[in-house]
Amino acid sequence: MNKPLIVIFTAIGLDAAGIGLIFPILPRLLQEVTHAGNVAAYIGIMTALYALMQFVFAPVLGALSDNLGRRPVLLLSLGGAAINYLVMAIAPQLWMLLLGRAIAGLTSANVSVAMAYITDISAEDKRARRFGLFNATFGIGFIVGPVLGGLLGDQWLRLPFIAASVLNACNLLLAFFILPESRAPARGKIEFAALNPLRPLRWVLSMKGLLPVILVFFILSATGEAYGTCWALWGFDTFHWNGLWIGLSLGAFGICQTLVQALLPGPASKRLGERGAVVVGIACACIALIAMAFAREGWIVFAIMPVFALAGIGTPAFQALATRQVDPARQGELQGVLTSAVSLASIIGPLAFSTLYFAVRQAWPGAIWLSVVAIYIVAVPPVLLGTRTGRAVAPVSA
């Protein structure tokens, strides 16, 4: 693996770790700052604020990277993250924590720039594999983040933020000295229209061929929210799992999915074609979800886990397909829109699936997984429609 990819994957791992870093300490931190007994509402606000900022600013950073180049935008976001976490480490009031979490969501929007960078330096036949490694790295960071946050938070409640600041600062230095620019900037000066978050949305709506791509990416991202929202509740209601077994099941799934994302998207895309890999991934997810819906013994979940994890070959293949729908000059803008779709899904998905789960909980908890199957099935026609040969390229001035 070349040095630029190492820097990019390191940045993404740190972003993911930063997201998960505060999960174990957030309730205690909010209790310390607000002196409230029930901080559930504050946790919801901070989670939604993070996702909202990422939703708004991912297209902006992506468009700026098309305009100014990938490297300066990545460096700016890494520097901003390092400063932000340091500020959060000493924040004495709630509004400072909210502001810090908002800035963290803004800087984490550099995911769109990182994906555009990978697109720039990767031949089309290598993109699925590298997007798979990208997702695997994000998954590892998201696993390591909460563990690190819990360990450090037991020593001092603010220590995880200092650790995140130091890690981002180290990655900033690494990127500054090693990371080259992946493409020449499109223009010599900033167009302020590029800072309008709605501009990429107008661009997407003006291109009939691109809209199904964004829709499918949103659907795939939204279905993923069902697991984080309902898994623990379903495990307790169906199998009477305690915290240990819920943790073991999530850990097993995380390991299987990370291995699949790291090793299989490239070979699967070569053998099945990228469209075929997406459809096979959806089929594997549906088989596993149907088995889970009807399962009455906990061992069935662990037995079906490898099939469930094979669903992970679909998203990287679809990401690779999406890059072919857009001219190279607008890859940053595309990745920004895709990242916004993920962020929007992380706002809508938990609300929708939690509401649906509590509606079916008494009668049949496993029915929640059949609802995910139904959504996957709905996604298949847009997959086939949105990934036809040829690019849906709009004029750069759009």
Side-chain angles (χ1 to χ4, degrees), residues 66-144:
D66 286 338
N67 200 307
L68 300 176
R70 316 293 186 210
R71 187 174 184 272
V73 177
L74 281 170
L75 292 177
L76 183 63
S77 62
L78 289 172
I83 296 172
N84 170 64
Y85 281 119
L86 187 60
V87 171
M88 292 184 73
I90 60 174
Q93 296 180 338
L94 177 62
W95 71 266
M96 294 182 69
L97 289 177
L98 291 173
L99 177 62
R101 204 55 184 160
I103 297 174
L106 189 159
T107 57
S108 74
N110 68 13
V111 170
S112 62
V113 185
M115 294 182 72
Y117 191 104
I118 293 173
T119 303
D120 292 338
I121 65 174
S122 302
E124 289 188 353
D125 61 344
K126 293 183 178 180
R127 288 176 185 171
R129 177 177 178 274
R130 289 181 175 178
F131 285 141
L133 289 172
F134 180 101
N135 293 335
T137 303
F138 191 92
I140 292 171
F142 202 76
I143 293 170
V144 171

Side-chain angles (χ1 to χ4, degrees), residues 10-368:
T10 302
I12 293 309
L14 288 175
D15 278 340
I19 295 172
L21 193 71
I22 72 166
F23 285 169
I25 65 169
L26 188 57
R28 287 184 292 155
L29 181 61
L30 287 171
Q31 285 175 349
E32 178 186 282
V33 172
T34 64
H35 307 291
N38 185 359
V39 296
Y42 296 116
I43 293 175
I45 291 171
M46 292 191 75
T47 303
L49 183 61
Y50 183 97
L52 179 63
M53 293 297 287
Q54 192 177 60
F55 168 71
V56 171
F57 284 98
V60 173
L61 293 187
L64 280 177
S65 76
D66 286 338
N67 200 307
L68 300 176
R70 316 293 186 210
R71 187 174 184 272
V73 177
L74 281 170
L75 292 177
L76 183 63
S77 62
L78 289 172
I83 296 172
N84 170 64
Y85 281 119
L86 187 60
V87 171
M88 292 184 73
I90 60 174
Q93 296 180 338
L94 177 62
W95 71 266
M96 294 182 69
L97 289 177
L98 291 173
L99 177 62
R101 204 55 184 160
I103 297 174
L106 189 159
T107 57
S108 74
N110 68 13
V111 170
S112 62
V113 185
M115 294 182 72
Y117 191 104
I118 293 173
T119 303
D120 292 338
I121 65 174
S122 302
E124 289 188 353
D125 61 344
K126 293 183 178 180
R127 288 176 185 171
R129 177 177 178 274
R130 289 181 175 178
F131 285 141
L133 289 172
F134 180 101
N135 293 335
T137 303
F138 191 92
I140 292 171
F142 202 76
I143 293 170
V144 171
V147 174
L148 183 62
L151 290 174
L152 296 178
D154 286 341
Q155 304 301 316
W156 178 37
L157 202 54
R158 307 289 182 132
L159 190 56
F161 294 107
I162 295 177
S165 178
V166 171
L167 290 174
N168 274 280
C170 291
N171 200 37
L172 172 63
L173 293 174
L174 187 66
F176 183 81
F177 288 108
I178 295 178
L179 190 68
E181 180 56 69
S182 62
R183 68 184 298 273
R187 288 171 286 271
K189 61 179 181 179
I190 299 175
E191 286 190 359
F192 288 100
L195 302 180
N196 181 359
L198 298 180
R199 183 173 181 256
L201 180 60
R202 292 201 305 267
W203 170 54
V204 169
L205 293 176
S206 69
M207 301 168 63
K208 295 181 180 180
L210 190 57
L211 191 57
V213 173
I214 308 301
L215 175 62
V216 171
F217 207 76
F218 171 79
I219 291 172
L220 295 178
S221 301
T223 54
E225 296 297 328
Y227 313 130
T229 303
C230 304
W231 188 281
L233 294 169
W234 167 74
F236 176 81
D237 291 337
T238 304
F239 309 119
H240 306 292
W241 277 347
N242 58 19
L244 174 62
W245 280 104
I246 291 171
L248 288 174
S249 65
L250 287 171
F253 178 71
I255 291 170
C256 290
Q257 188 175 54
T258 297
L259 289 173
V260 167
Q261 293 270 4
L263 300 175
L264 295 185
S269 294
K270 288 182 179 179
R271 181 173 292 273
L272 302 172
E274 288 164 341
R275 294 175 74 186
V278 176
V279 174
V280 169
I282 290 175
C284 289
C286 290
I287 291 171
L289 288 166
I290 291 171
M292 288 164 55
F294 290 96
R296 292 294 177 266
E297 299 290 338
W299 65 265
I300 296 175
V301 179
F302 289 88
I304 203 69
M305 202 73 76
V307 177
F308 198 4
L310 285 174
I313 67 174
T315 300
F318 192 78
Q319 288 171 295
L321 275 170
T323 63
R324 298 185 182 181
Q325 309 300 310
V326 175
D327 187 90
R330 307 200 74 168
Q331 289 295 331
E333 202 164 354
L334 170 67
Q335 298 302 336
V337 173
L338 292 179
T339 303
S340 281
V342 174
S343 301
L344 185 61
S346 69
I347 298 171
I348 296 175
L351 295 175
F353 284 116
S354 61
T355 301
L356 182 59
Y357 183 79
F358 281 104
V360 302
R361 184 178 190 179
Q362 295 297 324
W364 181 17
I368 190 66

